[in-house]
């Protein structure tokens, strides 16, 4: 029997969301228990957290950051051809690579799996994954293969699956707020939210603030947290699920953290920090799982303050139930099972 390999082509950097790496890592952790070797392929981009994947023991093949799609395809082909007598599957989670790149790689791999959450991109693959909700009812007519669609297939790390089992039933009171706007927080929303929370100081609210290493304002944020009572500053903590489970309310951006919050039943106030999050956040807010404040660049600290003050116990308890009903934490295992099935064909 040939050795099964899963190659994961993913990038992350200062200008690219960390969510791609996180969901691919979540999948890698499960698929490696199913007799697969897992390898990552990534460009050398400033701020790339792929080194964290290496620290966890995965082999990472590095590509030149300035290469175009053809060079990228050729170099990726060369890497995979070193394993040419084995069963090779390729997972692609990268907005810069699409149909032509995949068609090139089809020549050297047994199967291609694609993760994408845009409706207008075409792909040449054997399994397609889109964990997002969409406001449009339009079917994807540019992907001709098995499709795994919706938050039933949300790719979450095992820490969130474990933490879901011990989720507390929230009382509806806001005693602790979690503030997290992803790795870089380019719209600088964390400072706006902290300014809003300062005005709630008389209510003795505890605050956990999480920033990523690429955040340009992290020193200032850390200094502000040090001056605020009942405030704790974290930089890319390893125990995100544990911190999230203690909170009564989250304030942050969209992206993969949305599914993490839903899995743990954490009510949230969300602002849209990038175009690709807009449709998803609009769709989830219609389900009653979060408060959608719209585009981040249009918001002030007063908008965040009003959103917090407009919440009541009834709303928060209802949101928790809807969140947990939307994401059950089993998505990663479901996707891994489908990958294992196509590997047998």
């Amino acid at each position: 029997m040939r050795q099964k390999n899963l190659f994961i082509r993913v990038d992350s950097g200062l200008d690219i969301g960390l969510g791609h790496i996180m969901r691919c890592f979540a999948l890698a952790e499960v698929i490696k228990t199913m007799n697969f070797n897992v390898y990552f392929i990534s460009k050398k981009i400033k701020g790339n957290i792929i080194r964290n994947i290496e620290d966890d023991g995965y082999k990472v093949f590095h590509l030149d950051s300035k290469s175009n799609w053809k060079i990228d395809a050729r170099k990726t082909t060369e890497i995979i051809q070193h394993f040419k007598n084995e069963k090779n599957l390729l997972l692609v989670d990268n907005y810069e690579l699409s149909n032509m790149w995949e068609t090139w790689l089809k020549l050297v791999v047994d199967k291609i799996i694609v993760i994408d959450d845009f409706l207008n991109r075409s792909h040449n693959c054997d399994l397609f994954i889109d964990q997002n909700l969409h406001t449009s009812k339009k079917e994807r007519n540019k992907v001709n293969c098995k499709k795994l669609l919706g938050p039933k297939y949300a790719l979450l790390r095992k820490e969130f699956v474990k933490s879901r089992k011990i989720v507390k039933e929230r009382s509806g009171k806001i005693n602790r707020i979690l503030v997290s706007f992803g790795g870089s927080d380019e719209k600088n929303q964390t400072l706006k939210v902290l300014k809003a929370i300062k005005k709630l100081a008389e209510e003795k609210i505890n605050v956990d603030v999480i920033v990523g290493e690429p955040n340009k304002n992290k020193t200032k944020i850390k200094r502000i947290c040090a001056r605020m009572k009942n405030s704790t500053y974290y930089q890319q903590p390893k125990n995100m699920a544990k911190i999230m489970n203690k909170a009564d309310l989250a304030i942050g951006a969209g992206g993969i953290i949305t599914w993490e919050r839903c899995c743990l039943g954490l009510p949230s106030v969300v602002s849209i920090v990038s175009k690709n999050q807009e449709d998803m956040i609009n769709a989830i807010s219609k389900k009653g799982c979060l408060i959608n404040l719209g585009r981040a660049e249009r918001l002030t600290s007063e908008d965040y303050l009003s959103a917090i003050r407009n919440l009541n116990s009834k709303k928060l308890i209802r949101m928790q139930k809807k969140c947990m009903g939307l994401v059950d934490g089993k998505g990663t295992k479901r996707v891994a099972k489908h990958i294992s099935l196509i590997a047998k064909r």
Side-chain angles (χ1 to χ4, degrees):
M1 184 179 292
R2 290 190 294 166
Q3 173 61 51
K4 294 183 293 184
N5 302 316
L6 178 65
F7 295 88
I8 299 178
R9 178 66 186 87
V10 63
D11 292 324
S12 177
L14 293 178
D15 301 319
I16 306 171
L18 304 181
H20 295 270
I21 291 280
M22 291 296 99
R23 63 190 180 190
C24 287
F25 176 71
L27 184 57
E29 288 289 273
V30 175
I31 204 77
K32 74 178 183 181
T33 68
M34 303 171 78
N35 298 317
F36 280 83
N37 288 328
V38 182
Y39 305 98
F40 285 79
I41 303 172
S42 180
K43 282 186 176 181
K44 294 178 181 177
I45 300 172
K46 186 178 181 182
N48 197 343
I49 63 163
I50 199 73
R51 65 179 181 275
N52 295 0
I53 302 297
E54 289 180 292
D55 291 343
D56 280 299
Y58 290 96
K59 170 67 178 174
V60 178
F61 296 96
H62 296 279
L63 303 177
D64 186 346
S65 63
K66 296 179 181 179
S67 60
N68 59 35
W69 77 265
K70 287 185 179 179
I71 297 172
D72 192 302
R74 189 171 69 247
K75 293 293 185 183
T76 303
T77 297
E78 289 172 4
I79 291 165
I80 294 172
Q81 282 182 326
H82 287 293
F83 303 81
K84 62 184 177 182
N85 295 321
E86 300 174 15
K87 186 90 173 181
N88 295 319
L89 279 70
L90 172 63
L91 184 143
V92 189
D93 188 358
N94 195 305
Y95 294 148
E96 293 182 354
L97 306 173
S98 58
N99 197 302
M100 290 185 290
W101 187 95
E102 292 152 11
T103 300
W104 186 315
L105 267 296
K106 273 271 189 178
L107 300 173
V108 294
V109 297
D110 293 273
K111 303 288 181 183
I112 291 182
I113 305 112
V114 167
I115 301 176
D116 195 359
D117 36 43
F118 282 103
L119 289 170
N120 60 350
R121 282 160 46 88
S122 63
H123 293 283
N124 184 1
C125 58
D126 303 282
L127 182 65
F128 180 86
I129 305 153
D130 178 2
Q131 62 188 5
N132 283 359
L133 282 177
H134 295 279
T135 55
S136 173
K137 301 292 183 184
K138 184 171 64 175
E139 280 290 321
R140 286 182 178 273
N141 53 13
K142 298 183 180 182
V143 182
N144 185 25
C145 67
K146 174 72 176 177
K147 305 179 187 75
L148 307 180
L149 306 177
K152 179 181 178 180
Y153 300 102
L155 296 168
L156 301 177
R157 286 168 286 156
K158 58 188 177 184
E159 65 171 298
F160 291 94
V161 180
K162 288 180 180 178
S163 290
R164 181 183 171 90
K165 295 173 183 177
I166 55 169
V167 167
K168 64 180 180 180
E169 188 173 340
R170 293 179 173 85
S171 65
K173 292 182 179 179
I174 302 175
N175 296 313
R176 183 176 290 272
I177 297 175
L178 169 64
V179 182
S180 177
F181 283 88
S184 58
D185 187 12
E186 291 184 0
K187 307 290 185 186
N188 201 15
Q189 298 303 292
T190 303
L191 290 172
K192 291 181 187 177
V193 173
L194 291 178
K195 186 177 179 182
I197 291 174
K198 277 184 180 180
K199 296 179 181 179
L200 297 170
E202 70 277 5
E203 298 172 36
K204 295 181 180 177
I205 292 173
N206 294 287
V207 185
D208 293 315
V209 181
I210 296 177
V211 303
E213 188 178 325
N215 192 313
K216 295 176 183 177
N217 295 297
K218 60 189 177 187
T219 303
K220 186 175 182 180
I221 292 168
K222 187 176 183 179
R223 193 163 55 240
I224 291 171
C225 288
R227 292 200 299 261
M228 286 178 66
K229 289 182 179 179
N230 307 314
S231 176
T232 307
Y233 171 91
Y234 298 91
Q235 185 172 311
Q236 281 181 212
K238 295 284 187 181
N239 58 338
M240 183 68 166
K242 186 177 179 181
I243 297 167
M244 201 175 277
N245 234 353
K246 293 191 298 182
D248 303 299
L249 175 69
I251 304 177
I256 194 170
I257 195 171
T258 306
W259 306 124
E260 294 169 353
R261 292 187 297 243
C262 283
C263 179
L264 299 184
L266 179 57
S268 57
V269 172
V270 176
S271 61
I272 299 164
V273 301
S274 63
K275 182 67 178 174
N276 67 302
Q277 292 179 5
E278 191 162 13
D279 185 54
M280 166 191 169
I281 295 304
N282 287 337
I284 298 171
S285 67
K286 286 181 180 179
K287 294 279 187 183
C289 297
L290 54 82
I291 305 298
N292 179 11
L293 297 186
R295 299 293 302 208
E297 61 269 21
R298 299 171 188 163
L299 300 175
T300 66
S301 61
E302 288 299 318
D303 293 315
Y304 286 107
L305 182 62
S306 296
I308 299 168
R309 285 182 168 161
N310 285 337
L311 288 168
N312 56 47
S313 297
K314 191 175 179 180
K315 281 184 184 178
L316 290 165
I317 292 169
R318 186 168 62 241
M319 230 188 292
Q320 177 177 21
K321 290 178 180 176
K322 286 183 178 292
C323 283
M324 296 191 78
L326 186 65
V327 179
D328 65 6
K330 298 176 183 177
T332 311
K333 283 191 174 181
R334 290 189 183 106
V335 172
K337 193 172 181 179
H338 278 281
I339 292 174
S340 182
L341 284 173
I342 67 167
K344 295 174 182 176
R345 296 173 195 163

